[in-house]
Amino acid sequence: MSDSVCYHCGLDCGKSPVEFNDKCFCCNGCKTVYEILNQNELSCYYDLEQNPGTIPKEIQGKFDYLDNEEIAEKLIEFTDGTTSVVEFYIPSIHCSACIWVLENLGTLNPAILNSLVNFPNKTVRINFKSKDTSLKDIVELLTSIAYEPYISLEDADKSAKKVDKTLMYQLGIAAFGFGNVMLLAFPEYFETEGYWLDEFKYMFRWMMLTLSIPVVLYSAKDYFVTAYKGLIKGILSVDVPIALGIIVIFLRSSYEVIADIGPGYFDSLTGLIFFLLLGKVFQQKTYNYLSFERDYKSYFPIAVTKIVAGKEESVPVQDINEGDRLLIRNEELIPIDAILINGEGLIDYSFVTGESEPVYKGTGDKVFAGGKQTGGAIEIDVINKMSESYLTELWSNDIFNKDIPKDNIKNLTNRISKYFTITIVTISVIAGVYWAFIDLGIAANVVTAVLIIACPCALALAAPFAMGNMLRIFGYRKFYLKNDAVIEEIDKITHIIFDKTGTLTTNEANELTYVGDSFTTKELVAVKSLIRSSNHPLSRALNSYIKVDAAVDSILKYQEVVGKGISGELNNLQIKIGSANFVNATKQDTLNTTIYIKINETIKGYYKSKNIYRKQVASIISDLGTNYKLSILSGDNDGEKAYLQSIFPKKTNYLFNQKPQDKLDYIKILQDKGEQVMMIGDGLNDAGALAQSNVGIAISEDINVFSPACDGILDASLFEKLPTFLSLSKKTIRIIKWSFRLSFLYNFVGMYFAITNQLTPLVAAILMPLSSITIVIFVTLMTNLFANKR
Amino acid sequence: MEVIYITMGVSVLLGGLFLYLFFRNVKTGQYDDIYTPSVRMLFDDELVKEPKKDKKQKETVEKKSTQ
């Protein structure tokens, strides 16, 4: 087996792997998971996939709040006193071994009766005996094998999330009706007289009529409703001619059957409704495991530890009051603005600003909601109500509270259908008047025939299939859009705004530079040897930066202070490495994160860590700069302005030190000038801007976990593909426009038959499905073709 | 040709039966997750109790045989 790859998670173990049972592990966490699984005969886990695991996190005390019954009650979906059902969202589900081990949870805890994984949604539903185990035990068990459930305020608030299955039922009815009507209609296509058919055709016709009734009344009812709603508002949406067509076909066909004139157009009618519904289903591509509607609530914990008279107590977040004292442990989020009372805060505001370097806070300093404590536990005193805190205030902005109805009315199809409907009605009136001079009966036939053949099935299908298909293609390439309407919005964009930190720069890699007195080789070796022992991300970065061989001598008095630094003695050199505060230096560079080096009581200097820009930022910008106006809105200072100016086009606007509200306002101003704005950002501080913009795209390093409310989520590793995605969206709209032309062509042909009173059921039965199917094939092929070219 | 009354009736009834089954499946959530069951059916029912030692070899053999 491979030596240096962790048996559990597949990461590189480095030079000193943890060994157990002849296997290497990258850390003790992974080893523990292996031990748990191995002891319980679940080691089959490792046979299903190579290195399937993820590294477990520290959990001590983290889930104590689940013992609070009020909270547990909110999470549990169903309970009858002895058995309970709970569903968890587990972001780390990623392979078949995950499914296997999670569905064998009962082996690890006998009180778990069964567990069922839903892989696409990344959820596990657990049935357990509530007498023998508690919610907390289960969550701790899951976390101990590195499947930590994601529990947030949002889960607690959830009102029964019911999926609307009406469309599926409607489709089922339509398919049933279509299939049977087609069979029954077929014999009469061949007008053979005196055949056995004459005897049975009445039964066939009445059966077709009967089968069509549920299809029209149930399957197609949404078209009537939306058409009616549109008409009330004076809007001719595409649903108007569809609804009109359906009603006319049904009434005329029924009349033909009842008056014994002909078989009617029930086959075309049911086929039309079936295809339309199929388009609707296809359009509905949802990424169940992604959420595009997150607000601050989904970032926040459900409960916090409150200190009452020296005792710790878990309380739900919404019960926190001004003046309460809270205990925030390592890796916990500060839910509310507060003053630090006890301990040393090292607050990571990456959710809020996108900046991942922790900020030091001492006793008496103000800490803001949304920051995550890294380091020891701290005690804080609450100074604001939850709804009034710096972060949550943004959400009281109208943009988040307005329940903006999805604006379907202005979309491409509906804009065209307005003219289409008027034209059709005009044509039918003219044709009707013309025939009325010759024969009134024929006139009625012609008017209905025009409305039947003009029913814009192909028109209505083009956009759903083209956009639905493109949405899927984007999804495969890790660009997830909220819905198909976003593609059309992207097409109209004129102005693109970038956030800087976390969007143009990456959170993962840092660039180090050294400022200070130069080291002797001996000193450098000592520093490197010391830094090698630490696992902190900054230490690792520094370790790879210093290019000397580390000494083999053992380090004396090694000490690592969480969140501050490390110290030790080596070759008679006393070395301290860490924050300015840790080595008692005055921090000179307040803009960047610094690592100070102190040797034998003298401060030698510091390493400065700078975020680096994503790969190919320059080429992307020059690509986009030719087609769009660009702006930069950054919450940071303007330290990087000179560099940005070198890669951005001359006309770019630069705005620094922007608060979340400022960003939102800036976009509003642009929109008032008539610009269509796309915002590309990442942190919660961009949330307002993302919501205000016409298209808000969130860049995310880990798409499963954190992204603010937006219209689309782009995997950060694919940032360079952004121009491709934009141009593909534009092409999709062009394809739709082409297919509109194609469908008009069909309508011209059909119109010829209708106006000359030659529209037989056979012609309709051929023409209508043919146009729908060719349009669907055309847009699907074209979108795939364009996508593959890239 | 009166048999056509029976055949038509039977065909519509059959269609209705499938429609009913489809409705029932949608309602019980059979189409909610169409991926996981395909993985689940390939798992062994029993937990493997043998010691871990020759596991690796066996696994490669198994993998080859399944491919």
Side-chain angles (χ1 to χ4, degrees), chain A residues 34-209:
Chain A
Y34 172 77
E35 272 183 290
I36 295 174
L37 295 178
N38 205 24
Q39 276 165 16
N40 290 285
E41 293 158 358
L42 287 176
S43 52
C44 183
Y45 180 57
Y46 297 99
D47 299 340
L48 288 164
E49 300 264 340
Q50 292 258 313
N51 322 111
T54 42
I55 305 166
K57 290 198 184 117
E58 283 297 313
I59 50 165
Q60 206 189 4
K62 193 175 171 184
F63 295 111
D64 283 351
Y65 64 85
L66 289 173
D67 280 340
N68 183 321
E69 273 186 25
E70 199 185 324
I71 294 166
E73 205 174 286
K74 277 183 186 168
L75 291 170
I76 287 175
E77 254 172 47
F78 164 83
T79 181
D80 64 359
T82 48
T83 53
S84 302
V85 182
V86 65
E87 189 170 86
F88 291 118
Y89 170 60
I90 303 181
S92 55
I93 293 178
H94 65 283
C95 65
S96 55
C98 301
I99 303 176
W100 184 81
V101 78
L102 287 173
E103 298 202 335
N104 279 303
L105 277 180
T107 335
L108 296 174
N109 183 346
I112 294 176
L113 296 171
N114 80 57
S115 45
L116 204 64
V117 174
N118 182 328
F119 189 81
N121 289 3
K122 294 176 192 275
T123 56
V124 59
R125 175 183 288 271
I126 297 172
N127 258 329
F128 63 98
K129 285 188 211 152
S130 36
K131 289 252 167 67
D132 301 339
T133 191
S134 71
L135 202 59
K136 185 184 152 196
D137 290 339
I138 293 172
V139 173
E140 285 190 341
L141 171 70
L142 284 169
T143 313
S144 72
I145 56 167
Y147 289 103
E148 185 184 336
Y150 177 65
I151 303 170
S152 73
L153 265 179
E154 217 171 51
D155 295 314
D157 283 355
K158 78 177 158 197
S159 45
K161 281 188 278 178
K162 268 210 168 160
V163 193
D164 189 17
K165 288 173 179 169
T166 319
L167 188 58
M168 287 316 282
Y169 293 134
Q170 287 176 333
L171 186 70
I173 294 273
F176 170 73
F178 176 48
N180 283 296
V181 168
M182 213 59 199
L183 275 178
L184 293 164
F186 196 71
E188 282 209 66
Y189 288 165
F190 314 97
E191 289 173 51
T192 39
E193 303 238 341
Y195 196 48
W196 56 269
L197 195 61
D198 280 344
E199 193 182 327
F200 296 106
K201 69 179 176 195
Y202 304 104
M203 183 193 76
F204 282 12
R205 288 174 183 177
W206 278 100
M207 276 176 84
M208 287 196 282
L209 173 61

Side-chain angles (χ1 to χ4, degrees), chain A residues 388-667:
Chain A
E388 286 166 10
S389 69
Y390 169 74
L391 187 68
T392 50
E393 225 171 25
L394 185 63
W395 267 269
S396 56
N397 190 298
D398 284 347
I399 195 81
F400 291 101
N401 299 329
K402 243 188 298 180
D403 215 5
I404 307 160
K406 233 187 85 187
D407 211 355
N408 256 335
I409 285 145
K410 282 191 210 125
N411 76 21
L412 195 60
T413 316
N414 284 333
R415 277 195 319 256
I416 288 191
S417 81
K418 191 168 113 191
Y419 303 104
F420 182 82
T421 315
I422 294 169
T423 317
I424 293 307
V425 172
T426 320
I427 290 177
S428 66
V429 168
I430 294 171
V433 170
Y434 172 78
W435 280 102
F437 289 113
I438 300 163
D439 185 329
L440 262 178
I442 296 179
N445 267 354
V446 167
V447 170
T448 47
V450 168
L451 292 177
I452 289 171
I453 206 70
C455 188
C457 182
L459 194 69
L461 283 176
F465 273 93
M467 288 175 177
N469 198 34
M470 199 41 92
L471 218 57
R472 283 176 176 74
I473 292 169
F474 282 159
Y476 290 134
R477 302 190 177 183
K478 298 188 180 172
F479 180 43
Y480 308 94
L481 293 181
K482 186 160 86 177
N483 55 42
D484 56 329
V486 179
I487 293 183
E488 213 184 311
E489 288 294 324
I490 293 177
D491 178 56
K492 294 186 222 151
I493 294 300
T494 56
H495 199 127
I496 300 179
I497 300 176
F498 292 93
D499 170 52
K500 187 177 74 73
T501 318
T503 304
L504 292 175
T505 64
T506 154
N507 288 336
E508 284 180 340
N510 291 316
E511 201 175 56
L512 293 172
T513 37
Y514 178 70
V515 184
D517 308 333
S518 54
F519 295 113
T520 62
T521 317
K522 191 181 149 197
E523 284 170 338
L524 210 55
V525 168
V527 169
K528 168 116 175 173
S529 314
L530 189 63
I531 210 89
R532 208 177 53 157
S533 321
S534 162
N535 221 9
H536 191 273
L538 279 175
S539 308
R540 284 195 204 167
L542 194 55
N543 184 27
S544 55
Y545 179 74
I546 302 175
K547 300 264 186 280
V548 290
D549 288 327
V552 278
D553 307 314
S554 56
I555 303 155
L556 300 171
K557 295 183 194 160
Y558 176 81
Q559 204 187 358
E560 181 161 1
V561 186
V562 177
K564 298 189 79 179
I566 50 178
S567 59
E569 206 179 306
L570 191 99
N571 290 343
N572 297 324
L573 296 171
Q574 303 248 351
I575 303 165
K576 273 182 128 179
I577 303 168
S579 64
N581 188 275
F582 181 65
V583 297
N584 300 324
T586 42
K587 194 168 174 169
Q588 286 147 357
D589 186 342
T590 46
L591 301 184
N592 295 307
T593 311
T594 46
I595 315 164
Y596 279 83
I597 311 283
K598 188 175 177 182
I599 299 176
N600 289 340
E601 298 304 313
T602 46
I603 292 158
K604 297 290 281 187
Y606 59 88
Y607 287 94
K608 150 169 108 170
S609 152
K610 214 173 76 175
N611 283 333
I612 57 167
Y613 285 84
R614 289 188 194 284
K615 274 184 285 172
Q616 298 179 341
V617 161
S619 74
I620 293 164
I621 296 304
S622 67
D623 219 3
L624 294 175
T626 53
N627 298 322
Y628 301 97
K629 289 179 212 162
L630 304 175
S631 293
I632 288 187
L633 278 181
S634 176
D636 287 357
N637 54 64
D638 58 0
E640 305 263 309
K641 191 172 177 179
Y643 175 73
L644 287 170
Q645 271 171 336
S646 71
I647 57 168
F648 272 81
K650 281 202 181 103
K651 277 184 276 175
T652 309
N653 279 328
Y654 302 91
L655 288 136
F656 294 97
N657 299 315
Q658 298 285 300
K659 292 202 184 71
Q661 184 68 39
D662 300 339
K663 292 188 175 189
L664 198 158
D665 292 340
Y666 177 71
I667 291 177

Side-chain angles (χ1 to χ4, degrees), chain A residues 707-720:
Chain A
S707 56
C710 57
D711 298 309
I713 301 174
L714 176 63
D715 191 300
S717 59
L718 291 163
F719 182 66
E720 63 198 55

Side-chain angles (χ1 to χ4, degrees), chain A residues 20-39:
Chain A
F20 180 78
N21 248 12
D22 296 336
K23 295 182 175 61
C24 299
F25 297 94
C26 66
C27 59
N28 270 316
C30 287
K31 191 197 92 181
T32 319
V33 180
Y34 172 77
E35 272 183 290
I36 295 174
L37 295 178
N38 205 24
Q39 276 165 16

